[in-house]
Amino acid sequence: ARSDRDCFRALDVRGYSVVDDHRVKLRISPAREYILTIPQNSRDLDWTHAISVRSMSSFICVGDPSGVQLMGGDPPFPFQVTNIERAPTEEAAAQGS
């Protein structure tokens, strides 16, 4: 990935949480989180089983959802990602209010 792009690797994901009906937050580190949007309801991912991210490339980058899927369920079912954005940090969110 080029240095001017905001990217992460699927193996760097440390946790998942539901943001709303179509968005899931991925935690890379305490200071780095990303929000992935899927057309299906995010609660359909079957959170009783492991959730994972699958990508056709080594890096998953903000603004480039092509080839990126969230996998959930048993057996795992793919949910195509339609948008990737950087989640605002806690400090930025506090300053904005």
Side-chain angles (χ1 to χ4, degrees):
R2 294 186 346 231
S3 61
D4 61 338
R5 305 232 22 216
D6 188 354
C7 305
F8 62 94
R9 299 176 304 164
L11 58 92
D12 293 333
V13 177
R14 300 290 175 247
Y16 300 85
S17 60
V18 171
V19 175
D20 59 29
D21 286 348
H22 297 283
R23 298 184 304 158
V24 174
K25 185 185 292 185
L26 309 183
R27 184 175 52 82
I28 307 303
S29 71
R32 278 182 74 198
E33 295 180 321
Y34 295 85
I35 296 174
L36 277 58
T37 303
I38 58 173
Q40 300 89 347
N41 191 311
S42 58
R43 286 154 179 82
D44 292 341
L45 279 166
D46 188 356
W47 293 85
T48 60
H49 297 283
I51 304 293
S52 64
V53 177
R54 183 166 67 181
S55 175
M56 300 298 288
S57 64
S58 299
F59 287 89
I60 299 167
C61 300
V62 168
D64 184 14
S66 58
V68 180
Q69 297 176 325
L70 284 176
M71 302 296 293
D74 185 24
F77 183 80
F79 291 79
Q80 187 63 46
V81 174
T82 58
N83 188 48
I84 301 169
E85 59 188 296
R86 182 79 174 252
T89 61
E90 295 294 325
E91 298 82 32
Q95 290 173 2
S97 51

